[in-house]
Coordinates of all heavy atoms in Angstrom, one line a residue:
V1 N 0.9 -1.2 0.0 CA 0.0 0.0 0.0 C 0.9 1.2 0.0 O 1.9 1.3 0.8 CB -0.9 0.0 1.3 CG1 -1.8 1.3 1.3 CG2 -1.8 -1.2 1.3
I2 N 0.5 2.2 -0.8 CA 1.2 3.5 -0.8 C 0.3 4.5 -0.3 O -0.9 4.5 -0.6 CB 1.8 3.8 -2.2 CG1 2.9 4.9 -2.0 CG2 0.7 4.2 -3.2 CD1 3.9 4.9 -3.1
M3 N 0.8 5.6 0.4 CA -0.1 6.5 1.0 C 0.5 7.9 1.1 O 1.7 8.0 1.6 CB -0.6 6.0 2.4 CG -1.6 6.9 3.1 SD -2.3 6.0 4.5 CE -3.5 7.2 5.0
A4 N -0.2 8.9 0.8 CA 0.3 10.3 1.0 C -0.1 10.7 2.4 O -1.2 10.6 2.8 CB -0.4 11.2 0.0
L5 N 0.9 11.2 3.2 CA 0.7 11.6 4.5 C 0.8 13.1 4.6 O 1.6 13.7 3.9 CB 1.6 10.9 5.5 CG 1.4 9.4 5.6 CD1 2.6 8.7 6.3 CD2 0.1 9.1 6.2
S6 N 0.0 13.7 5.5 CA 0.0 15.2 5.6 C 0.4 15.7 6.9 O 0.6 16.9 7.1 CB -1.4 15.7 5.3 OG -2.3 15.3 6.3
G7 N 0.5 14.8 7.9 CA 0.8 15.2 9.3 C -0.5 15.5 10.0 O -0.5 15.8 11.2
G8 N -1.6 15.4 9.3 CA -2.9 15.6 10.0 C -3.4 14.4 10.7 O -2.9 13.3 10.6
V9 N -4.5 14.6 11.5 CA -5.0 13.5 12.3 C -5.5 12.3 11.5 O -5.1 11.2 11.7 CB -6.2 14.0 13.2 CG1 -6.8 12.9 14.0 CG2 -5.7 15.1 14.1
D10 N -6.3 12.6 10.4 CA -6.9 11.5 9.7 C -5.9 10.6 9.0 O -6.0 9.4 9.1 CB -7.9 12.1 8.7 CG -9.0 13.0 9.3 OD1 -9.3 12.8 10.5 OD2 -9.6 13.8 8.6
S11 N -5.0 11.2 8.2 CA -4.1 10.4 7.5 C -3.1 9.6 8.4 O -2.7 8.5 8.2 CB -3.3 11.3 6.5 OG -2.4 12.1 7.1
T12 N -2.8 10.2 9.6 CA -1.9 9.6 10.5 C -2.6 8.4 11.2 O -2.0 7.3 11.3 CB -1.4 10.6 11.6 OG1 -0.8 11.7 11.0 CG2 -0.5 9.9 12.6
V13 N -3.8 8.5 11.6 CA -4.5 7.4 12.2 C -4.8 6.3 11.2 O -4.6 5.1 11.5 CB -5.9 7.9 12.9 CG1 -6.7 6.7 13.4 CG2 -5.6 8.8 14.0
A14 N -5.2 6.7 10.0 CA -5.4 5.7 8.9 C -4.1 4.9 8.6 O -4.1 3.7 8.5 CB -5.9 6.4 7.6
A15 N -3.0 5.6 8.5 CA -1.7 5.0 8.2 C -1.3 4.0 9.4 O -0.8 2.9 9.1 CB -0.6 6.0 8.0
T16 N -1.6 4.4 10.6 CA -1.2 3.6 11.7 C -2.0 2.3 11.8 O -1.4 1.2 12.1 CB -1.4 4.4 13.1 OG1 -0.7 5.6 13.0 CG2 -0.8 3.6 14.3
L17 N -3.3 2.4 11.4 CA -4.1 1.2 11.3 C -3.6 0.2 10.2 O -3.5 -1.0 10.4 CB -5.6 1.6 11.0 CG -6.4 2.1 12.2 CD1 -7.6 2.7 11.8 CD2 -6.7 1.0 13.2
I18 N -3.3 0.8 9.1 CA -2.8 0.0 7.9 C -1.4 -0.6 8.3 O -1.2 -1.8 8.1 CB -2.7 0.8 6.7 CG1 -4.1 1.3 6.2 CG2 -2.0 0.0 5.5 CD1 -4.0 2.4 5.1
H19 N -0.6 0.2 9.0 CA 0.7 -0.4 9.4 C 0.6 -1.5 10.4 O 1.3 -2.5 10.3 CB 1.6 0.8 10.0 CG 2.9 0.3 10.5 ND1 3.2 0.0 11.8 CD2 4.1 0.2 9.8 CE1 4.4 -0.4 11.9 NE2 5.0 -0.3 10.7
K20 N -0.4 -1.4 11.3 CA -0.7 -2.4 12.3 C -1.1 -3.7 11.6 O -0.8 -4.8 12.1 CB -1.8 -1.9 13.2 CG -1.7 -2.6 14.6 CD -2.7 -1.8 15.5 CE -2.9 -2.6 16.8 NZ -1.7 -2.7 17.6
A21 N -1.7 -3.6 10.4 CA -2.2 -4.8 9.7 C -1.1 -5.4 8.8 O -1.0 -6.6 8.7 CB -3.4 -4.4 8.8
I22 N -0.2 -4.5 8.2 CA 0.7 -5.1 7.2 C 2.2 -4.7 7.4 O 3.0 -5.0 6.6 CB 0.3 -4.7 5.7 CG1 0.4 -3.2 5.5 CG2 -1.1 -5.2 5.4 CD1 0.3 -2.7 4.1
G23 N 2.4 -3.9 8.5 CA 3.8 -3.5 8.8 C 4.4 -2.6 7.7 O 3.7 -1.7 7.1
D24 N 5.7 -2.9 7.3 CA 6.4 -2.0 6.4 C 6.0 -2.2 5.0 O 6.7 -1.6 4.1 CB 7.9 -2.2 6.6 CG 8.4 -1.5 7.9 OD1 7.6 -0.8 8.5 OD2 9.6 -1.7 8.3
R25 N 5.0 -3.0 4.7 CA 4.5 -3.0 3.3 C 3.6 -1.8 3.0 O 3.1 -1.6 1.9 CB 3.7 -4.3 3.1 CG 4.6 -5.5 2.8 CD 3.9 -6.8 2.4 NE 3.1 -7.3 3.6 CZ 1.8 -7.5 3.6 NH1 1.1 -7.1 2.5 NH2 1.2 -8.0 4.6
L26 N 3.4 -0.9 4.1 CA 2.8 0.4 3.8 C 4.0 1.4 3.6 O 4.9 1.5 4.4 CB 2.0 0.8 5.1 CG 1.6 2.3 5.0 CD1 0.6 2.6 3.9 CD2 1.1 2.8 6.4
Y27 N 3.9 2.1 2.5 CA 4.9 3.0 2.1 C 4.3 4.4 2.2 O 3.5 4.8 1.3 CB 5.5 2.8 0.7 CG 6.3 1.5 0.6 CD1 5.6 0.3 0.4 CD2 7.6 1.4 0.7 CE1 6.3 -0.9 0.3 CE2 8.3 0.3 0.6 CZ 7.7 -0.9 0.4 OH 8.3 -2.1 0.4
G28 N 4.7 5.2 3.2 CA 4.2 6.5 3.3 C 5.1 7.6 2.7 O 6.3 7.4 2.7
I29 N 4.4 8.6 2.1 CA 5.2 9.7 1.4 C 4.7 11.0 2.0 O 3.5 11.3 2.0 CB 5.0 9.6 -0.1 CG1 5.7 8.4 -0.7 CG2 5.7 10.9 -0.7 CD1 5.4 8.1 -2.1
F30 N 5.6 11.8 2.6 CA 5.3 13.1 3.2 C 6.0 14.1 2.4 O 7.3 14.2 2.4 CB 5.6 13.1 4.6 CG 5.3 14.4 5.4 CD1 4.2 15.1 5.1 CD2 6.2 14.8 6.3 CE1 3.9 16.3 5.8 CE2 5.9 16.0 7.0 CZ 4.8 16.7 6.7
V31 N 5.3 15.0 1.7 CA 5.9 16.0 0.8 C 6.0 17.3 1.5 O 5.0 17.9 2.0 CB 5.1 16.1 -0.5 CG1 5.7 17.2 -1.4 CG2 5.1 14.7 -1.2
D32 N 7.2 17.9 1.5 CA 7.3 19.3 1.9 C 7.0 20.2 0.7 O 7.9 20.4 -0.2 CB 8.7 19.6 2.5 CG 8.8 21.0 3.1 OD1 7.9 21.8 2.9 OD2 9.9 21.3 3.7
N33 N 5.9 20.8 0.7 CA 5.5 21.7 -0.4 C 5.9 23.1 -0.3 O 5.5 24.0 -1.1 CB 4.0 21.6 -0.7 CG 3.2 22.0 0.5 OD1 3.7 22.5 1.5 ND2 1.9 21.6 0.5
G34 N 6.7 23.4 0.8 CA 7.1 24.8 1.0 C 6.2 25.7 1.7 O 6.5 26.8 2.1
V35 N 4.9 25.2 1.9 CA 4.0 26.1 2.6 C 3.4 25.3 3.9 O 2.2 25.5 4.3 CB 2.8 26.5 1.7 CG1 3.3 27.6 0.8 CG2 2.3 25.3 0.9
L36 N 4.2 24.5 4.5 CA 3.9 23.9 5.8 C 4.2 25.0 6.9 O 4.8 26.0 6.7 CB 4.7 22.7 6.0 CG 4.6 21.5 5.0 CD1 5.6 20.4 5.3 CD2 3.1 21.0 5.0
R37 N 3.8 24.6 8.1 CA 4.1 25.5 9.2 C 5.6 25.4 9.6 O 6.3 24.5 9.2 CB 3.2 25.2 10.4 CG 1.7 25.6 10.2 CD 0.7 25.0 11.2 NE 0.5 23.6 10.8 CZ -0.7 23.0 11.2 NH1 -1.6 23.6 11.9 NH2 -0.8 21.7 10.9
K38 N 6.0 26.3 10.5 CA 7.4 26.4 10.8 C 7.9 25.0 11.5 O 7.2 24.5 12.4 CB 7.7 27.5 11.8 CG 9.1 27.7 12.2 CD 9.3 29.0 13.0 CE 10.8 29.2 13.3 NZ 11.1 30.5 14.0
N39 N 9.0 24.5 11.0 CA 9.6 23.3 11.5 C 8.7 22.0 11.3 O 9.0 21.0 11.9 CB 10.0 23.4 12.9 CG 11.0 24.6 13.1 OD1 11.8 24.8 12.3 ND2 10.9 25.2 14.3
E40 N 7.6 22.2 10.7 CA 6.6 21.1 10.6 C 7.1 19.8 9.9 O 6.8 18.7 10.4 CB 5.3 21.6 10.0 CG 4.2 20.5 9.9 CD 2.9 21.1 9.4 OE1 2.9 22.1 8.7 OE2 1.8 20.5 9.7

């Protein structure tokens, strides 16, 4: 499974559930688009 993560509650909880089911066969991608909050 591949998944775009945002740092938000929904994507984080969803990813954690998927990871609990399949471990590192979940590949998360978190993109710094330049308009995140400071140090986020």
Side-chain angles (χ1 to χ4, degrees):
V1 179
I2 197 153
M3 185 169 183
L5 295 170
S6 66
V9 176
D10 302 337
S11 68
T12 302
V13 174
T16 307
L17 282 166
I18 296 169
H19 180 265
K20 205 169 170 63
I22 65 167
D24 284 352
R25 282 185 289 119
L26 169 67
Y27 294 82
I29 295 172
F30 180 40
V31 178
D32 186 351
N33 57 13
V35 284
L36 299 174
R37 287 166 284 203
K38 185 173 183 176
N39 302 327
E40 182 172 22

